[in-house]
Amino acid sequence: MMNRARLYLPLAGFVIPTVVIGYGFVIPRSCIAGVNELTLGFATTMLGAVFTYVAGLRTALSEMQGAACSKPPLRIRLSRWVNRQAAHPRGVFGRFLGWNWTRETAAVNAATLDLLSIEPESRVLDLGCGPGVTLREAARRASRGSVVGLDVSNLMIATSRRCNRSGIREGRVEVRKADADDLTLEAEAFDRIYSVHCIYFWSDPDRVLGQLAAALRPGGRLVLAFRPEGPSVPARFRDPTYRFYAPEDVIARLARVGLSSEVSKQSDDVVWIVAERP
Protein backbone atom coordinates (compact mmCIF):
# COMPACT_ATOMS: atom_id res chain seq x y z
CA MET A 1 0.00 0.00 0.00
CA MET A 2 2.83 2.39 0.95
CA ASN A 3 4.71 1.67 -2.30
CA ARG A 4 1.63 2.44 -4.38
CA ALA A 5 1.04 5.71 -2.45
CA ARG A 6 4.56 6.83 -3.27
CA LEU A 7 3.71 6.69 -6.96
CA TYR A 8 1.29 9.59 -6.44
CA LEU A 9 3.76 11.82 -4.58
CA PRO A 10 4.94 13.58 -7.78
CA LEU A 11 1.32 14.39 -8.60
CA ALA A 12 0.72 15.77 -5.12
CA GLY A 13 3.93 17.77 -5.41
CA PHE A 14 2.55 19.44 -8.52
CA VAL A 15 -1.13 19.86 -7.62
CA ILE A 16 -0.90 21.16 -4.04
CA PRO A 17 1.58 24.01 -4.64
CA THR A 18 -0.15 24.96 -7.88
CA VAL A 19 -3.59 25.20 -6.23
CA VAL A 20 -2.23 27.12 -3.25
CA ILE A 21 -0.32 29.61 -5.38
CA GLY A 22 -3.06 29.97 -8.02
CA TYR A 23 -6.08 30.36 -5.81
CA GLY A 24 -4.24 31.83 -2.83
CA PHE A 25 -2.14 34.48 -4.48
CA VAL A 26 -2.29 34.82 -8.25
CA ILE A 27 -6.06 34.97 -8.81
CA PRO A 28 -6.86 37.17 -5.75
CA ARG A 29 -4.09 39.65 -6.62
CA SER A 30 -5.49 39.88 -10.11
CA CYS A 31 -8.70 41.17 -8.52
CA ILE A 32 -10.63 38.22 -9.87
CA ALA A 33 -13.26 36.84 -7.53
CA GLY A 34 -16.02 34.25 -7.77
CA VAL A 35 -16.62 31.71 -10.48
CA ASN A 36 -15.64 32.94 -13.89
CA GLU A 37 -13.88 31.85 -17.05
CA LEU A 38 -10.41 32.24 -15.56
CA THR A 39 -11.10 30.26 -12.39
CA LEU A 40 -12.97 27.55 -14.32
CA GLY A 41 -10.21 27.30 -16.89
CA PHE A 42 -7.58 27.01 -14.18
CA ALA A 43 -9.56 24.24 -12.43
CA THR A 44 -10.10 22.40 -15.69
CA THR A 45 -6.36 22.51 -16.43
CA MET A 46 -5.59 21.07 -13.00
CA LEU A 47 -8.14 18.27 -13.39
CA GLY A 48 -6.76 17.45 -16.84
CA ALA A 49 -3.26 17.18 -15.41
CA VAL A 50 -4.46 14.88 -12.62
CA PHE A 51 -6.43 12.68 -15.03
CA THR A 52 -3.50 12.41 -17.44
CA TYR A 53 -1.06 11.42 -14.69
CA VAL A 54 -3.37 8.82 -13.12
CA ALA A 55 -4.28 7.28 -16.49
CA GLY A 56 -0.65 7.09 -17.54
CA LEU A 57 0.38 5.54 -14.23
CA ARG A 58 -2.30 2.85 -14.41
CA THR A 59 -1.35 2.00 -17.99
CA ALA A 60 2.30 1.63 -17.02
CA LEU A 61 1.48 -0.58 -14.02
CA SER A 62 -0.81 -2.76 -16.14
CA GLU A 63 1.91 -3.29 -18.74
CA MET A 64 4.46 -4.14 -16.06
CA GLN A 65 2.12 -6.73 -14.50
CA GLY A 66 1.33 -8.18 -17.91
CA ALA A 67 5.03 -8.55 -18.67
CA ALA A 68 5.61 -10.30 -15.34
CA CYS A 69 2.75 -12.77 -15.99
CA SER A 70 3.34 -13.29 -19.69
CA LYS A 71 3.71 -16.80 -21.10
CA PRO A 72 7.17 -18.27 -21.65
CA PRO A 73 8.49 -18.22 -25.23
CA LEU A 74 6.95 -20.73 -27.62
CA ARG A 75 10.18 -22.74 -27.76
CA ILE A 76 10.11 -23.30 -23.99
CA ARG A 77 6.39 -24.13 -23.94
CA LEU A 78 6.91 -26.64 -26.74
CA SER A 79 9.82 -28.29 -24.93
CA ARG A 80 7.77 -28.62 -21.75
CA TRP A 81 4.90 -30.18 -23.67
CA VAL A 82 7.23 -32.72 -25.30
CA ASN A 83 8.72 -33.55 -21.88
CA ARG A 84 5.27 -34.16 -20.42
CA GLN A 85 4.55 -36.46 -23.36
CA ALA A 86 7.76 -38.38 -22.64
CA ALA A 87 6.62 -38.89 -19.06
CA HIS A 88 3.10 -39.95 -20.08
CA PRO A 89 2.69 -40.57 -23.85
CA ARG A 90 -0.75 -40.08 -25.35
CA GLY A 91 -2.39 -39.17 -28.61
CA VAL A 92 -0.79 -39.01 -32.03
CA PHE A 93 2.46 -37.55 -30.75
CA GLY A 94 2.65 -40.27 -28.11
CA ARG A 95 2.48 -42.85 -30.88
CA PHE A 96 5.33 -41.08 -32.65
CA LEU A 97 7.40 -41.14 -29.44
CA GLY A 98 6.81 -44.87 -29.03
CA TRP A 99 7.93 -45.51 -32.59
CA ASN A 100 10.96 -43.29 -32.14
CA TRP A 101 11.98 -44.93 -28.87
CA THR A 102 12.24 -48.34 -30.51
CA ARG A 103 15.01 -46.89 -32.68
CA GLU A 104 16.55 -44.25 -30.44
CA THR A 105 17.01 -46.42 -27.35
CA ALA A 106 17.63 -49.79 -29.03
CA ALA A 107 21.32 -49.89 -28.10
CA VAL A 108 20.65 -48.84 -24.49
CA ASN A 109 17.95 -51.49 -24.10
CA ALA A 110 20.13 -54.20 -25.62
CA ALA A 111 22.99 -53.36 -23.23
CA THR A 112 20.54 -53.40 -20.32
CA LEU A 113 19.29 -56.89 -21.16
CA ASP A 114 22.87 -58.12 -21.53
CA LEU A 115 23.73 -56.81 -18.06
CA LEU A 116 20.65 -58.53 -16.62
CA SER A 117 21.93 -61.96 -17.64
CA ILE A 118 18.40 -63.30 -18.05
CA GLU A 119 18.17 -67.07 -17.70
CA PRO A 120 15.57 -69.26 -19.44
CA GLU A 121 13.60 -69.74 -16.20
CA SER A 122 13.81 -66.11 -15.05
CA ARG A 123 10.81 -64.07 -14.02
CA VAL A 124 11.46 -60.55 -15.30
CA LEU A 125 9.94 -57.12 -14.63
CA ASP A 126 10.22 -54.21 -17.07
CA LEU A 127 9.31 -50.96 -15.30
CA GLY A 128 8.32 -48.47 -17.98
CA CYS A 129 7.94 -50.97 -20.80
CA GLY A 130 6.91 -48.36 -23.38
CA PRO A 131 6.08 -49.82 -26.81
CA GLY A 132 7.08 -53.30 -25.66
CA VAL A 133 9.90 -54.21 -28.05
CA THR A 134 12.43 -54.72 -25.25
CA LEU A 135 9.84 -56.63 -23.25
CA ARG A 136 9.41 -58.99 -26.19
CA GLU A 137 13.17 -59.60 -26.32
CA ALA A 138 13.24 -60.22 -22.57
CA ALA A 139 10.47 -62.80 -23.02
CA ARG A 140 12.48 -64.46 -25.76
CA ARG A 141 15.45 -64.81 -23.43
CA ALA A 142 13.28 -66.03 -20.56
CA SER A 143 11.96 -68.80 -22.80
CA ARG A 144 10.72 -70.96 -19.92
CA GLY A 145 10.01 -68.13 -17.53
CA SER A 146 7.71 -65.11 -17.66
CA VAL A 147 7.89 -61.33 -17.98
CA VAL A 148 5.75 -58.46 -16.72
CA GLY A 149 5.68 -54.99 -18.25
CA LEU A 150 4.43 -51.96 -16.32
CA ASP A 151 3.68 -48.50 -17.66
CA VAL A 152 1.69 -45.42 -16.62
CA SER A 153 0.46 -44.70 -20.15
CA ASN A 154 -2.65 -46.39 -21.52
CA LEU A 155 -1.31 -45.80 -25.02
CA MET A 156 1.98 -47.58 -24.28
CA ILE A 157 0.15 -50.44 -22.58
CA ALA A 158 -2.01 -50.98 -25.67
CA THR A 159 1.03 -50.72 -27.95
CA SER A 160 3.05 -53.14 -25.83
CA ARG A 161 0.21 -55.63 -25.75
CA ARG A 162 0.00 -55.62 -29.54
CA CYS A 163 3.74 -56.08 -29.76
CA ASN A 164 3.61 -59.03 -27.35
CA ARG A 165 0.31 -60.58 -28.38
CA SER A 166 1.78 -64.04 -28.95
CA GLY A 167 3.55 -64.07 -25.57
CA ILE A 168 0.39 -62.86 -23.85
CA ARG A 169 -1.61 -65.55 -25.61
CA GLU A 170 0.87 -68.18 -24.36
CA GLY A 171 0.63 -66.84 -20.82
CA ARG A 172 4.31 -65.89 -20.57
CA VAL A 173 3.87 -62.11 -20.93
CA GLU A 174 1.73 -59.74 -18.89
CA VAL A 175 1.38 -56.00 -19.49
CA ARG A 176 -0.48 -53.87 -17.00
CA LYS A 177 -0.87 -50.30 -15.88
CA ALA A 178 0.88 -49.08 -12.76
CA ASP A 179 0.69 -45.97 -10.66
CA ALA A 180 3.78 -43.83 -10.99
CA ASP A 181 4.82 -44.41 -7.38
CA ASP A 182 2.68 -47.32 -6.13
CA LEU A 183 3.64 -50.39 -8.16
CA THR A 184 1.65 -52.95 -6.11
CA LEU A 185 4.25 -55.70 -6.58
CA GLU A 186 4.32 -59.01 -4.78
CA ALA A 187 7.24 -59.63 -2.44
CA GLU A 188 10.17 -61.56 -3.93
CA ALA A 189 8.34 -62.09 -7.20
CA PHE A 190 11.13 -61.44 -9.73
CA ASP A 191 14.61 -62.69 -10.53
CA ARG A 192 15.41 -59.77 -12.83
CA ILE A 193 14.14 -56.18 -12.90
CA TYR A 194 15.13 -53.38 -15.24
CA SER A 195 14.11 -49.82 -16.02
CA VAL A 196 15.47 -47.65 -18.83
CA HIS A 197 15.15 -43.85 -18.88
CA CYS A 198 12.35 -43.82 -16.28
CA ILE A 199 13.96 -42.71 -13.03
CA TYR A 200 13.58 -39.05 -14.06
CA PHE A 201 9.80 -39.25 -13.73
CA TRP A 202 9.57 -40.83 -10.27
CA SER A 203 8.31 -38.22 -7.82
CA ASP A 204 9.55 -40.38 -4.93
CA PRO A 205 12.53 -42.45 -6.14
CA ASP A 206 13.27 -43.87 -2.69
CA ARG A 207 9.77 -45.32 -2.49
CA VAL A 208 9.98 -46.83 -5.98
CA LEU A 209 13.42 -48.32 -5.36
CA GLY A 210 12.18 -49.72 -2.06
CA GLN A 211 9.32 -51.49 -3.85
CA LEU A 212 11.66 -52.88 -6.50
CA ALA A 213 14.04 -54.15 -3.82
CA ALA A 214 11.18 -55.86 -1.99
CA ALA A 215 9.98 -57.46 -5.24
CA LEU A 216 13.43 -58.85 -6.02
CA ARG A 217 14.22 -62.38 -4.96
CA PRO A 218 17.42 -63.11 -2.99
CA GLY A 219 20.25 -63.26 -5.51
CA GLY A 220 18.17 -61.28 -8.00
CA ARG A 221 19.46 -58.44 -10.13
CA LEU A 222 18.22 -54.93 -10.91
CA VAL A 223 19.57 -52.78 -13.75
CA LEU A 224 18.86 -49.06 -14.07
CA ALA A 225 19.86 -47.19 -17.21
CA PHE A 226 19.57 -43.40 -17.26
CA ARG A 227 21.20 -40.14 -18.23
CA PRO A 228 23.11 -38.89 -15.19
CA GLU A 229 23.09 -35.37 -13.82
CA GLY A 230 25.82 -33.25 -15.36
CA PRO A 231 26.69 -30.61 -17.95
CA SER A 232 25.76 -32.95 -20.81
CA VAL A 233 22.05 -32.81 -19.91
CA PRO A 234 20.36 -30.76 -22.67
CA ALA A 235 18.73 -27.49 -21.64
CA ARG A 236 15.38 -28.68 -23.02
CA PHE A 237 15.19 -31.27 -20.20
CA ARG A 238 15.64 -28.69 -17.45
CA ASP A 239 12.05 -28.36 -16.35
CA PRO A 240 9.85 -29.80 -13.56
CA THR A 241 9.08 -32.98 -15.54
CA TYR A 242 12.62 -34.36 -15.40
CA ARG A 243 14.80 -35.03 -12.36
CA PHE A 244 18.39 -36.08 -12.94
CA TYR A 245 20.61 -37.92 -10.47
CA ALA A 246 24.32 -38.49 -10.09
CA PRO A 247 25.31 -42.20 -10.16
CA GLU A 248 26.65 -42.03 -6.60
CA ASP A 249 23.29 -40.64 -5.44
CA VAL A 250 21.42 -43.58 -6.98
CA ILE A 251 23.91 -46.05 -5.50
CA ALA A 252 23.37 -44.52 -2.06
CA ARG A 253 19.59 -44.77 -2.47
CA LEU A 254 19.89 -48.43 -3.47
CA ALA A 255 22.03 -49.13 -0.42
CA ARG A 256 19.32 -47.66 1.82
CA VAL A 257 16.84 -50.24 0.49
CA GLY A 258 19.23 -53.13 0.99
CA LEU A 259 20.77 -53.52 -2.47
CA SER A 260 24.48 -53.49 -3.23
CA SER A 261 25.22 -51.77 -6.54
CA GLU A 262 27.87 -50.31 -8.78
CA VAL A 263 28.26 -48.52 -12.08
CA SER A 264 28.72 -51.38 -14.49
CA LYS A 265 28.78 -49.50 -17.78
CA GLN A 266 28.87 -45.89 -18.92
CA SER A 267 28.71 -44.11 -22.28
CA ASP A 268 28.77 -40.44 -23.16
CA ASP A 269 25.21 -39.83 -21.98
CA VAL A 270 23.97 -43.02 -20.28
CA VAL A 271 25.03 -44.86 -17.15
CA TRP A 272 24.07 -48.41 -16.19
CA ILE A 273 23.88 -49.30 -12.51
CA VAL A 274 23.65 -52.99 -11.61
CA ALA A 275 22.24 -53.81 -8.18
CA GLU A 276 21.88 -57.18 -6.50
CA ARG A 277 19.95 -58.42 -3.50
CA PRO A 278 22.07 -60.54 -1.12
Side-chain angles (χ1 to χ4, degrees):
M1 184 68 178
M2 182 62 68
N3 290 336
R4 181 173 287 272
R6 288 176 180 174
L7 297 175
Y8 292 93
L9 288 177
L11 178 62
F14 166 74
V15 170
I16 294 174
T18 302
V19 170
V20 171
I21 294 172
Y23 284 100
F25 298 96
V26 176
I27 292 178
R29 290 190 177 187
S30 300
C31 300
I32 300 172
V35 178
N36 51 56
E37 293 180 354
L38 182 59
T39 56
L40 288 176
F42 186 79
T44 302
T45 301
M46 293 300 302
L47 289 175
V50 171
F51 175 80
T52 302
Y53 183 88
V54 172
L57 181 61
R58 290 186 175 181
T59 300
L61 290 175
S62 177
E63 290 180 354
M64 290 173 61
Q65 292 174 353
C69 300
S70 61
K71 293 181 179 180
L74 177 60
R75 174 179 57 82
I76 294 178
R77 283 184 283 145
L78 182 60
S79 294
R80 291 177 178 176
W81 179 78
V82 172
N83 292 344
R84 290 194 296 271
Q85 279 280 349
H88 198 137
R90 52 197 175 275
V92 176
F93 189 77
R95 294 180 185 277
F96 166 76
L97 283 179
W99 170 82
N100 187 57
W101 286 336
T102 61
R103 303 166 62 253
E104 190 178 58
T105 65
V108 176
N109 288 323
T112 300
L113 292 183
D114 289 343
L115 290 172
L116 272 176
S117 299
I118 297 174
E119 298 177 353
E121 295 83 9
S122 293
R123 179 165 170 77
V124 184
L125 172 66
D126 180 346
L127 179 55
C129 61
V133 175
T134 308
L135 186 67
R136 183 176 60 192
E137 174 59 20
R140 187 191 68 80
R141 299 188 184 197
S143 56
R144 296 191 297 276
S146 61
V147 299
V148 175
L150 300 180
D151 207 285
V152 299
S153 165
N154 288 328
L155 173 61
M156 290 297 101
I157 291 170
T159 304
S160 185
R161 285 174 176 169
R162 286 195 299 271
C163 182
N164 290 273
R165 59 170 63 92
S166 61
I168 293 174
R169 188 165 51 247
E170 295 167 2
R172 297 192 307 106
V173 178
E174 179 184 1
V175 181
R176 64 174 187 256
K177 187 173 183 178
D179 182 87
D181 294 318
D182 188 2
L183 306 179
T184 62
L185 301 174
E186 296 180 6
E188 299 184 1
F190 299 98
D191 303 293
R192 301 289 187 268
I193 300 175
Y194 67 98
S195 184
V196 177
H197 289 313
C198 289
I199 193 172
Y200 327 113
F201 310 123
W202 301 344
S203 61
D204 189 348
D206 287 333
R207 182 181 181 188
V208 174
L209 292 175
Q211 292 177 75
L212 296 181
L216 201 58
R217 292 170 178 167
R221 178 174 295 184
L222 164 68
V223 176
L224 300 174
F226 58 94
R227 181 190 288 269
E229 174 63 276
S232 66
V233 176
R236 68 180 184 276
F237 294 145
R238 298 295 190 181
D239 77 352
T241 302
Y242 280 83
R243 302 172 190 84
F244 293 92
Y245 304 92
E248 55 269 24
D249 181 19
V250 176
I251 289 174
R253 291 172 185 268
L254 288 166
R256 288 198 292 269
V257 297
L259 300 181
S260 59
S261 61
E262 63 178 4
V263 174
S264 183
K265 182 180 176 66
Q266 190 162 4
S267 67
D268 293 338
D269 56 3
V270 179
V271 62
W272 287 262
I273 292 181
V274 176
E276 294 185 348
R277 179 175 176 181

